[in-house]
Amino acid sequence: MTLKDRVLALLPGHKAAATDDEAVNDVQNRDAEDQFGLQMLYDGIKKPAEMPPAQADDDNVCLEPVDIVAVHGLGGGSISTWRHPDSKVIWLRDLLPSSMQNCRVMSYGFDAQIYKSRSTLHMMHNAENLLFDVQAARKSEKLRARRLIFIGHSMGGILIKNALCMAHEEEKYEEILHSTCGIMFMGTPHDGADAAKLASTIANIANSITTLNTSNLKILERDSEPLQGISKSFGFLEDLRIVTVIESDKTRIPYTKVYILIVPQASARLNLGDRETSISVANADHHMVCKFRNGEDIQYNRIKTALHNLATSQRASSLLLTVQQIPYAPDPNFVGRASILDDISKTFKTRGVHNRIALYGLGGIGKSGIAIEFAHTFRQLYPETHIFWVRGASPQRFEQSYRAIAKGLNIEGHDNPQFEILDMVKQWLTATPKRWLMILDNADEEGLYFPTQRSTADDVDRSAQIIDSETGTLSQFLPQTSNGCILVTSRDKRTARQLVGNLPKNLIEVEKLDSKDSLAVIRSRLSAEKAENADLRAFTTMLGDIPLAITQACVYIEANVMMSVNEYCEKFHESSDMQQRLLDKASYDLRRDPDIPNAVITTWRISFEHIRSRNPFAAEVLSLLGVLDCQHIPIYLLRGLKPDQLEVDEALSQLIAFCLVKSEMNRDFLEIHPLVEAALHAWMSECKKLAHWLRVAITIFDQVFPKDLHGNVGNWSRCNLLVPHALKVIQTSTQLPELHSPALAALYTYVAVSLDTQFRLEEAAMLHEKAVELVTKEWGPHGKVTLAYKCNLADTLHNQKRLSEAEAIYRDIWHYLQENVIHTKTWEMLWFHVPNSLARLLTDMGQTVEARKMQQVLLEVTLVNKGEEDENTLRITNNFALALFKEGRYDEAESMGRKALETQLRVLKPDSQLVMYTMKNLADYSRAREDFSQAKEYIEAVVIMEERLLPVGHPDRLATSKTLASLFYFQDNYLEAERILRQAQADYDQFPQKSYVLLNLRAELATVLDAQGKYSEAETIARDVLNSKQISSDSSDTDTWTVMGILASILHHLHKDNEAEDLHWQLLEHYADNGAPNQDGLNREASAALGSIIVVLGLDMDAESLSYFDKILERQEPQRIGGTQAFQKRVKLLSLVLAKSGSYTVGLELEVTWRDQSDSSSLWKVNNLAEHYLKSDRRVPAKTLLEGLYGEAQEHFGPADNLTLSTAGLLAVAVGSDTDEGADLLVSVVEHAPPGNHHGLVACKNLATGYERRGMCLQAFNALKMATDLAQEHFREDDPVAIGICTAFVTFLKDHLSPVSPSHLTIRLRDAGPSTTSPDDAGNDV
């Protein structure tokens, strides 16, 4: 026996109480089925198959899909509270489902015992557990649509009230609150209970031997603070249907003879009038009021009917008016913006506080769309909340919206035009206890809502007409009550900020869509046919990921039968004018305010005009920004408009507030959306201001562009920032002829020189050409400025390796200067620059002798005029040394370079560009002598100087790093070479502009990695570099072919020999056709490529030179290399290599050996080889070839074909034209050769020669006469073959008509043609 039992045994009536039915709720007798948490007693969704279907017309049946949750009271359990002690019937499970088959019945259990409870959890804390469990049981949307009824016994009713109070305060449980259609309180004390004091007494006696949960008892005390708080909070449920079940009998207190009415009627009722139904249960005390013997029990049937009524009743709130004025339907294709919607929801879920959120952003960015989406989501979550839509673009629209609110709410007097409608609606919203949400859309004009110095008189007048107040602003009519929230949309951040009380956390900027959401918008609005084969991401990027622009484009594409996405993109990129036309195509949108334009450009034009009317200087700033590039705009460019920084800042603040401009990078730079820029262009064109602002920009650039890129450390970086903006101005100005002026030519030059330093040479050359064209029109082809601009162009062409073009320009200028210009100070720059640049160019072209002589003369002149310490003299000395070096006179070049360096270090700044240039040259001289250590010293010194002088990423620093790395490479220090190259690449990767300098550096890195055996990475880099370079037919594009050679070498190391061999063949083809030959006749690069092919094929390099050509061809598989045609191409290429090596005949023999027997061109190769044999007096092999060829040609092509005729003629020569066989062959040629064919003429001539050798002069004369007649009739007078025939005829006559002078005949042949003189005439003349 426990200590507790012993204590209880001392109490009066202990034994009797042990068998008392009224003690069944004691902890010792708890039902074993009692559980904590939510327990499903009946699930109407999964009703038992044996249950007979209910009849819909049966008055005793309720078919409503409703969830019933029962909560026991103090000392009860989830099953025992509802079980009858005699019949053991659990009415919630055993009786109720037969009349409510579609319901679900659940019982919630918690620790509510007085004795033996070890729980420290306050009983009321179970309220949140109840909410959590009910919510978990209603997860799906279908389940959440079911109505909800709570049944609470005793303390359980108070727990239910507390739970619903929590649901009212916490948004996450609001669904439970709104789904609840009624509550049944069974013996629930709504104002305390007298029994609690007696229970407390018993508890105090037992406290020393058991645990007493006094907190559960405390709350039952009459007038207790927790109970009063719950009752007061429960007042919000003023519209809920209530059933109160009242106990009729007193309850015996266990272990005593005391009886008490635990919950009297006054405490059990809520006194709610028509909303409350009271049922008194006869013969039932506090514990039996919730238990029923069977289904025939009249008390049960009353409870059942009451539950049916609750399940089918409407909440009282549904009888009250709920106004939800959302003028736009939900968008089924709405995508994205989840984070913004979530932020709004989090802010608006807080109760008891007036909250405002403002969405601001560019027009067309989707602010109103977000507001529409949120309004419909809010309506679903809070169906009994008022929702109002107020159009805030103008006072008139604002008033119209308020009148619609008043009408919807049926506010008394709303239809009276004399009433102050704005104030009336504000007062109503302030007074109503019901929750409301207002969307204030398009509140863009600050002056309409707040008094401001920027408000125009028009703003005040328009507002005053509506408001009739002293201030004339609309913000005073926006309520600030705790039961209301306002969501604002605005283009103007300033207005938005003030409307939310200047709270930054309540401002949300709406920006462009992310790529995923942009694609989703397209796919929801475009048919698959229209989007077929289109790059949709490029399409959305082109439109700036702006929702209105994307939607507008999609509508336009769908509306035009012949238009697809690809075609739209092509038109969009045609010109800026076409962009503007497309962006101005309005499309009707059901979800946009009809007073707000639907076209992107028109939408933004409103903002531009708004700004111009309120701050003209801000409009000027916007106009200037509109002609520049969209990104990274230096703010200092704006100082050209006005030096007052404060006024500039104020203008920018307004532009940024309208989201037309954004600041970036510590507010030193600005950014403007590309489509906004297009709209600005359209706006300025309409206002006839575009040309004006382009002129302003050109003037500003003339002021800010650095004139010396080498004399100042920051100038190169400054130019890099300015170039994109200047290029944009140039691009637009080119389309306006009125801007084509010397000022524009100067801008061309500034930009081109900057591009030169970035090695963007193709762009630079184009701009230099345009500059020359403009100044030529102004000052003529030889004006001083024109010649200077031509020099700039020639310098760029030189860097591009367009050497012939550069040479022509330099020579033209130099010739003009020498012939027409006196060497004066005015022309000094050109007199020095042109010959010096021409000499450097000639050095690079290999014309080193002329270059050296020119530099020598120039050096002598400058030494006399300037002295040896003049910078120009030092520069010429450098170039002279370089010319000596190119001639191979290394010692002289190095000696002169050293002397120049000593002088430069003495008279110039130590970090002068010229000093670095000289040291780089000296490094080249040392490397040529393979003195890599000395070369490395020079380059390391240059590196230190460049680090001080040039910014990180400068192309010169890249080139120097590449040179230094190559020196380590030649010394086999591959790791250090790799480190230097990777560091240089990392430095340059910070900059967006890539150039061939970086590509060459990466190619060097691939070489270094290859040397270390890091083949895979080397291959990746080499392929990337090769793909980035454009294969050029220009022989000067050596870098691309060098990279191809690097990749081929790497592939060979990776055993990818087929691909490596293919690349080497490409290299051989290129180098065989280009480049200066070496001493052997073939250039070094072609020889190297041929050697690489031999290595890849695994051939013996020491083999006979002729035999390994055959071996190379033996390894070629026509199917692998692309077929017979590709094979013959390689045969021809090897033949060319042999020819360039001085082995022309061997090359022909190779082609003949590997010829395609059925190919006509191959047969001609045989013909050519035989002809070459004859020229070499090798008649026997020629005759052998020709005999076979002659028969084959006759068989395949006939006797009149050129090949047959040529072969017959050559064969005649081989056998001898003075033989009968030779004569027969020649006669055949003459007979079959068509008129005008050279073979017939040559055959006649050879036939005559044969006759003459055989002493048959008359036949010889006739043959030559025939040939002469043919020449006169069918060939031009300047035809070389015809002239040869005539000459032979004259010679023949001279030789055979001696001693008669043929001078008269010769004159006649020349003047009148040979056919005018016959042999008889000749004799008569003689």
Side-chain angles (χ1 to χ4, degrees):
M1 190 177 201
T2 65
L3 177 62
K4 177 186 172 183
D5 293 334
R6 291 199 300 271
V7 172
L8 292 178
L10 299 175
L11 295 176
H14 171 67
K15 282 189 177 181
T19 59
D20 200 323
D21 290 341
E22 296 167 359
V24 295
N25 288 304
D26 186 79
V27 67
Q28 299 175 77
N29 297 316
R30 275 193 59 134
D31 198 300
E33 294 184 46
D34 286 340
Q35 297 179 11
F36 291 161
L38 201 61
Q39 184 177 1
M40 184 70 70
L41 302 183
Y42 170 76
D43 189 348
I45 298 175
K46 305 174 182 177
K47 66 183 69 175
E50 64 273 11
M51 179 174 286
Q55 301 299 318
D57 56 352
D58 189 343
D59 293 338
N60 293 318
V61 171
C62 174
L63 299 180
E64 290 292 324
V66 64
D67 287 350
I68 299 174
V69 178
V71 183
H72 63 78
L74 188 66
S78 61
I79 296 296
S80 56
T81 293
W82 318 104
R83 185 196 298 272
H84 194 277
D86 296 335
S87 65
K88 306 302 180 183
V89 169
I90 304 171
W91 66 277
L92 291 171
R93 183 190 67 188
D94 303 333
L95 304 179
L96 191 61
S98 63
S99 63
M100 300 182 73
Q101 291 187 9
N102 293 331
C103 75
R104 294 195 304 167
V105 183
M106 293 163 272
S107 180
Y108 178 73
F110 61 96
D111 186 357
Q113 301 306 314
I114 297 177
Y115 300 110
K116 287 190 178 179
S117 174
R118 300 185 179 275
S119 173
T120 59
L121 182 68
H122 191 293
M123 183 176 180
M124 301 317 297
H125 293 167
N126 283 286
E128 185 163 14
N129 291 344
L130 170 62
L131 291 172
F132 182 86
D133 288 356
V134 171
Q135 187 179 62
R138 296 163 57 87
K139 287 183 178 179
S140 70
E141 185 175 348
K142 184 176 181 180
L143 291 176
R144 287 195 297 273
R146 299 170 67 89
R147 296 185 178 195
L148 191 58
I149 297 175
F150 284 99
I151 302 175
H153 174 246
S154 185
M155 183 73 172
I158 298 174
L159 193 151
I160 290 169
K161 289 165 67 175
N162 192 44
L164 293 177
C165 287
M166 293 178 66
H168 176 68
E169 295 169 357
E170 297 189 27
E171 183 179 4
K172 61 183 177 181
Y173 296 125
E174 278 199 334
E175 177 272 325
I176 295 176
L177 180 67
H178 292 295
S179 298
T180 302
C181 60
I183 305 174
M184 177 176 283
F185 293 113
M186 308 185 81
T188 297
H190 295 292
D191 60 352
D194 291 336
K197 294 182 179 179
L198 182 58
S200 180
T201 301
I202 298 173
N204 288 334
I205 295 173
N207 196 41
S208 61
I209 58 174
T210 189
T211 299
L212 179 66
N213 196 337
T214 57
S215 63
N216 287 337
L217 299 175
K218 183 78 174 175
I219 198 170
L220 284 176
E221 295 180 4
R222 186 178 301 278
D223 301 327
S224 66
E225 290 185 9
L227 192 60
Q228 288 179 351
I230 293 172
S231 298
K232 184 177 181 180
S233 300
F234 195 63
F236 73 91
L237 290 172
E238 58 188 19
D239 56 347
L240 203 62
R241 296 292 182 181
I242 302 295
V243 175
T244 54
V245 180
I246 304 170
E247 58 198 67
S248 58
D249 291 354
K250 294 181 178 180
T251 302
R252 178 185 172 190
I253 304 302
Y255 317 120
T256 72
K257 295 183 179 181
V258 178
Y259 288 82
I260 188 172
L261 192 63
I262 293 180
V263 182
Q265 182 173 333
S267 177
R269 296 190 62 169
L270 288 169
N271 300 315
L272 299 178
D274 293 340
R275 289 199 298 118
E276 180 181 5
T277 301
S278 297
I279 300 175
S280 181
V281 181
N283 301 319
D285 62 12
H286 185 67
H287 299 299
M288 294 298 293
V289 75
C290 56
K291 299 176 176 65
F292 305 103
R293 183 178 298 274
N294 52 48
E296 305 300 324
D297 190 330
I298 190 171
Q299 312 297 341
Y300 164 72
N301 281 285
R302 288 175 179 167
I303 296 298
K304 178 187 71 174
T305 301
L307 287 174
H308 288 187
N309 291 337
L310 287 180
T312 57
S313 70
Q314 296 290 327
R315 287 184 60 167
S317 62
S318 65
L319 304 177
L320 298 176
L321 184 64
T322 299
V323 177
Q324 294 183 333
Q325 296 176 339
I326 309 175
Y328 310 109
D331 185 356
N333 298 317
F334 183 86
V335 296
R337 309 302 197 186
S339 62
I340 294 178
L341 292 169
D342 187 53
D343 288 343
I344 300 172
S345 298
K346 287 179 180 177
T347 302
F348 285 173
K349 77 176 181 178
T350 306
R351 302 299 185 97
V353 179
H354 179 68
N355 281 315
R356 296 186 182 187
I357 287 286
L359 306 178
Y360 72 95
L362 197 62
I365 203 69
K367 303 180 295 296
S368 297
I370 296 172
I372 295 169
E373 180 69 14
F374 177 77
H376 285 287
T377 302
F378 195 84
R379 182 184 65 178
Q380 292 176 354
L381 292 175
Y382 312 111
E384 295 167 16
T385 299
H386 294 305
I387 301 176
F388 309 113
W389 195 280
V390 178
R391 293 186 169 98
S394 68
Q396 293 79 10
R397 300 305 303 277
F398 190 93
E399 184 200 23
Q400 290 171 7
S401 300
Y402 263 46
R403 286 198 177 278
I405 294 173
K407 182 178 180 180
L409 293 171
N410 198 26
I411 298 175
E412 186 177 355
H414 72 273
D415 52 353
N416 186 342
Q418 303 301 319
F419 271 65
E420 297 289 343
I421 196 70
L422 301 184
D423 193 56
M424 181 193 304
V425 170
K426 178 187 177 183
Q427 290 180 16
W428 193 96
L429 293 176
T430 303
T432 182
K434 199 174 184 69
R435 197 178 184 198
W436 53 267
L437 167 68
M438 178 186 291
I439 290 93
L440 178 58
D441 194 26
N442 295 316
D444 303 328
E445 296 195 27
E446 183 182 9
L448 296 180
Y449 290 88
F450 303 98
T452 171
Q453 293 179 352
R454 290 181 298 275
S455 298
T456 65
D458 183 55
D459 288 337
V460 176
D461 290 346
R462 285 188 297 150
S463 298
Q465 293 172 10
I466 301 299
I467 299 170
D468 191 22
S469 68
E470 294 181 0
T471 59
T473 60
L474 298 174
S475 61
Q476 61 183 308
F477 299 105
L478 298 174
Q480 300 183 38
T481 55
S482 60
N483 60 324
C485 303
I486 300 178
L487 176 61
V488 179
T489 73
S490 177
R491 302 183 192 190
D492 182 12
K493 184 179 180 182
R494 290 181 175 185
T495 305
R497 184 179 64 245
Q498 293 182 79
L499 284 171
V500 298
N502 292 304
L503 296 175
K505 67 176 183 178
N506 288 7
L507 282 172
I508 299 176
E509 182 178 5
V510 181
E511 300 186 277
K512 64 182 183 179
L513 294 168
D514 61 33
S515 58
K516 179 181 177 182
D517 292 339
S518 291
L519 293 174
V521 170
I522 289 181
R523 293 190 178 103
S524 68
R525 286 169 168 79
L526 271 187
S527 61
E529 179 184 0
K530 294 286 187 178
E532 187 177 5
N533 300 322
D535 186 346
L536 297 182
R537 182 61 196 125
F539 177 63
T540 59
T541 302
M542 178 186 74
L543 295 172
D545 294 309
I546 293 179
L548 180 58
I550 296 173
T551 301
Q552 176 183 327
C554 290
V555 171
Y556 179 76
I557 292 170
E558 284 292 337
N560 287 268
V561 178
M562 304 304 293
M563 181 70 69
S564 67
V565 170
N566 287 334
E567 290 164 334
Y568 185 95
C569 292
E570 289 176 9
K571 286 187 172 293
F572 194 90
H573 290 301
E574 276 183 14
S575 65
S576 58
D577 288 341
M578 181 57 72
Q579 284 185 19
Q580 294 164 17
R581 287 176 58 190
L582 290 173
L583 294 174
D584 213 15
K585 298 287 185 183
S587 58
Y588 182 70
D589 190 341
L590 292 172
R591 295 172 187 84
R592 279 183 68 82
D593 189 331
D595 289 346
I596 304 298
N598 288 321
V600 174
I601 284 186
T602 311
T603 297
W604 292 334
R605 191 181 292 122
I606 294 173
S607 298
F608 303 156
E609 293 292 348
H610 177 88
I611 290 169
R612 182 166 65 177
S613 65
R614 283 151 180 76
N615 190 338
F617 180 63
E620 292 180 11
V621 171
L622 185 62
S623 299
L624 177 59
L625 296 176
V627 298
L628 304 176
D629 189 60
C630 300
Q631 295 182 329
H632 220 53
I633 306 170
I635 287 182
Y636 61 75
L637 287 177
L638 304 180
R639 295 180 192 141
L641 291 177
K642 192 169 287 189
D644 187 346
Q645 188 62 40
L646 186 62
E647 193 165 353
V648 171
D649 290 344
E650 172 62 24
L652 285 176
S653 296
Q654 185 159 6
L655 298 179
I656 291 171
F658 266 82
C659 298
L660 297 171
V661 175
K662 288 188 176 184
S663 62
E664 57 179 44
M665 292 184 66
N666 301 322
R667 301 182 181 177
D668 292 332
F669 298 91
L670 302 172
E671 177 185 350
I672 187 169
H673 197 285
L675 296 191
V676 173
E677 183 185 73
L680 276 170
H681 272 223
W683 180 57
M684 286 187 283
S685 296
E686 289 175 6
C687 302
K688 309 298 183 185
K689 290 289 186 180
L690 182 58
H692 166 75
W693 285 108
L694 288 169
R695 286 192 187 93
V696 171
I698 291 170
T699 302
I700 291 174
F701 281 128
D702 187 63
Q703 298 168 0
V704 301
F705 247 107
K707 305 303 185 287
D708 179 13
L709 293 183
H710 302 292
N712 185 291
V713 175
N715 281 352
W716 184 79
S717 299
R718 187 181 181 94
C719 283
N720 278 354
L721 293 175
L722 294 174
V723 162
H725 307 293
L727 283 173
K728 190 59 181 285
V729 170
I730 287 171
Q731 179 185 0
T732 311
S733 300
T734 303
Q735 303 169 15
L736 302 174
E738 64 267 30
L739 295 178
H740 295 183
S741 64
L744 182 58
L747 183 57
Y748 283 150
T749 301
Y750 293 145
V751 176
V753 171
S754 299
L755 294 176
D756 280 329
T757 65
Q758 299 176 30
F759 288 92
R760 295 166 61 180
L761 301 177
E762 185 174 352
E763 297 170 81
M766 181 185 65
L767 291 176
H768 280 309
E769 288 171 353
K770 290 182 177 181
V772 169
E773 181 182 348
L774 286 180
V775 295
T776 299
K777 292 179 181 178
E778 186 75 17
W779 291 298
H782 294 106
K784 180 182 175 184
V785 175
T786 307
L787 294 179
Y789 281 16
K790 285 183 176 181
C791 279
N792 293 333
L793 173 58
D795 291 344
T796 301
L797 295 175
H798 183 179
N799 291 332
Q800 273 190 293
K801 303 296 190 294
R802 293 164 64 180
L803 306 182
S804 299
E805 297 172 70
E807 181 188 11
I809 295 173
Y810 283 138
R811 289 193 184 278
D812 177 67
I813 299 173
W814 184 229
H815 176 75
Y816 179 80
L817 291 174
Q818 289 177 310
E819 294 292 329
N820 301 284
V821 179
I822 301 174
H823 189 174
T824 62
K825 191 169 184 178
T826 306
W827 293 82
E828 183 175 12
M829 186 277 292
L830 287 173
W831 271 98
F832 166 76
H833 181 81
V834 174
N836 190 40
S837 298
L838 177 57
R840 286 192 302 107
L841 174 67
L842 294 172
T843 300
D844 289 345
M845 294 177 72
Q847 301 177 32
T848 54
V849 176
E850 183 182 358
R852 175 175 50 78
K853 290 179 179 178
M854 182 175 286
Q855 292 283 10
Q856 189 168 2
V857 172
L858 191 58
L859 180 58
E860 292 170 355
V861 172
T862 53
L863 282 171
V864 172
N865 294 328
K866 299 290 185 180
E868 65 176 7
E869 295 184 353
D870 180 75
E871 186 170 350
N872 287 337
T873 305
L874 295 172
R875 198 175 299 278
I876 295 171
T877 304
N878 257 353
N879 293 335
F880 189 21
L882 184 59
L884 292 171
F885 174 72
K886 295 286 186 177
E887 279 192 86
R889 298 161 65 175
Y890 299 151
D891 293 339
E892 295 175 72
E894 187 168 10
S895 175
M896 182 172 288
R898 286 180 182 274
K899 290 179 181 178
L901 180 60
E902 291 173 3
T903 306
Q904 291 167 14
L905 292 174
R906 188 174 67 253
V907 302
L908 301 177
K909 294 179 181 180
D911 56 358
S912 165
Q913 287 276 344
L914 182 56
V915 172
M916 291 189 290
Y917 177 68
T918 304
M919 295 179 77
K920 288 180 180 179
N921 285 347
L922 285 169
D924 288 338
Y925 306 158
S926 297
R927 181 163 58 176
R929 293 187 293 101
E930 297 190 358
D931 187 354
F932 299 122
S933 298
Q934 181 62 58
K936 194 165 62 175
E937 286 183 23
Y938 285 125
I939 294 300
E940 287 173 341
V942 173
V943 168
I944 295 172
M945 296 163 67
E946 286 183 340
E947 286 176 352
R948 292 200 306 266
L949 182 65
L950 302 176
V952 174
H954 193 287
D956 285 354
R957 289 184 62 173
L958 274 181
T960 304
S961 296
K962 178 178 179 293
T963 302
L964 181 59
S966 68
L967 292 172
F968 280 105
Y969 173 80
F970 287 129
Q971 291 182 307
D972 297 332
N973 190 345
Y974 304 132
L975 290 177
E976 183 61 17
E978 179 183 353
R979 185 196 67 78
I980 293 170
L981 292 170
R982 289 193 187 279
Q983 181 60 53
Q985 179 176 325
D987 290 342
Y988 200 79
D989 279 345
Q990 301 176 47
F991 297 86
Q993 180 59 49
K994 305 299 182 186
S995 74
Y996 79 83
V997 179
L998 177 62
L999 296 176
N1000 290 345
L1001 181 137
R1002 298 189 71 229
E1004 185 75 15
L1005 177 59
T1007 302
V1008 172
L1009 295 173
D1010 183 35
Q1012 298 178 71
K1014 300 177 181 179
Y1015 302 131
S1016 296
E1017 185 181 1
E1019 179 190 10
T1020 300
I1021 293 174
R1023 286 190 188 278
D1024 179 61
V1025 172
L1026 191 60
N1027 291 336
S1028 300
K1029 285 178 170 289
Q1030 181 178 359
I1031 300 295
S1032 172
S1033 60
D1034 186 354
S1035 62
S1036 64
D1037 184 20
T1038 57
D1039 294 331
T1040 300
W1041 301 103
T1042 301
V1043 176
M1044 187 180 290
I1046 293 171
L1047 177 59
S1049 174
I1050 295 168
L1051 293 173
H1052 176 54
H1053 293 149
L1054 286 168
H1055 305 294
K1056 299 179 180 181
D1057 287 337
N1058 287 344
E1059 188 178 358
E1061 183 189 351
D1062 290 341
L1063 290 176
H1064 283 307
W1065 279 105
Q1066 292 182 50
L1067 290 167
L1068 179 61
E1069 181 180 5
H1070 170 74
Y1071 288 126
D1073 288 335
N1074 300 285
N1078 56 21
Q1079 294 178 351
D1080 298 328
L1082 189 66
N1083 62 67
R1084 178 171 56 85
E1085 293 83 2
S1087 299
L1090 180 59
S1092 297
I1093 292 173
I1094 293 171
V1095 170
V1096 169
L1097 293 174
L1099 300 176
D1100 184 2
M1101 288 292 291
D1102 296 330
E1104 290 288 335
S1105 61
L1106 301 183
S1107 63
Y1108 71 62
F1109 280 91
D1110 284 326
K1111 291 182 178 179
I1112 289 173
L1113 293 173
E1114 287 173 359
R1115 299 293 183 91
Q1116 305 307 303
E1117 301 173 9
Q1119 289 73 20
R1120 181 185 70 77
I1121 65 175
T1124 303
Q1125 187 175 359
F1127 176 79
Q1128 289 299 320
K1129 183 178 179 181
R1130 292 189 176 180
V1131 173
K1132 184 177 180 180
L1133 179 57
L1134 290 180
S1135 175
L1136 175 63
V1137 168
L1138 286 166
K1140 289 209 170 189
S1141 301
S1143 301
Y1144 179 76
T1145 304
V1146 177
L1148 286 175
E1149 289 175 340
L1150 191 72
E1151 288 193 76
V1152 169
T1153 303
W1154 293 93
R1155 68 187 176 96
D1156 183 354
Q1157 298 294 332
S1158 61
D1159 183 27
S1160 173
S1161 62
S1162 298
L1163 295 177
W1164 271 108
K1165 292 173 186 176
V1166 177
N1167 182 283
N1168 293 339
L1169 178 59
E1171 184 178 10
H1172 193 70
Y1173 282 158
L1174 290 175
K1175 290 178 181 178
S1176 304
D1177 201 26
R1178 299 171 62 186
R1179 290 174 175 268
V1180 175
K1183 181 174 178 292
T1184 303
L1185 284 175
L1186 291 167
E1187 286 176 342
L1189 179 61
Y1190 183 54
E1192 194 171 352
Q1194 280 189 313
E1195 179 182 351
H1196 289 290
F1197 307 111
D1201 183 76
N1202 273 333
L1203 178 60
T1204 307
L1205 296 172
S1206 176
T1207 303
L1210 292 175
L1211 182 56
V1213 174
V1215 300
S1217 60
D1218 55 353
T1219 65
D1220 291 340
E1221 183 183 355
D1224 292 341
L1225 287 167
L1226 292 171
V1227 169
S1228 174
V1229 173
V1230 172
E1231 289 176 349
H1232 292 99
N1237 188 288
H1238 283 117
H1239 294 298
L1241 288 181
V1242 174
C1244 284
K1245 178 178 175 294
N1246 290 338
L1247 186 60
T1249 301
Y1251 285 146
E1252 186 178 5
R1253 288 176 183 169
R1254 297 165 69 179
M1256 301 168 65
C1257 292
L1258 181 58
Q1259 288 85 343
F1261 176 85
N1262 288 333
L1264 283 172
K1265 176 64 172 61
M1266 181 186 296
T1268 303
D1269 289 342
L1270 290 172
Q1272 187 264 342
E1273 183 178 355
H1274 296 291
F1275 294 90
R1276 293 167 52 91
E1277 291 184 2
D1278 59 353
D1279 185 277
V1281 177
I1283 292 173
I1285 293 295
C1286 294
T1287 302
F1289 191 29
V1290 171
T1291 302
F1292 178 85
L1293 292 174
K1294 184 173 72 171
D1295 291 343
H1296 294 281
L1297 294 179
S1298 180
V1300 179
S1301 171
S1303 58
H1304 175 63
L1305 179 61
T1306 303
I1307 293 173
R1308 292 181 65 188
L1309 284 172
R1310 183 178 69 242
D1311 295 341
S1315 62
T1316 60
T1317 304
S1318 65
D1320 295 336
D1321 292 334
N1324 294 333
D1325 288 341
V1326 173

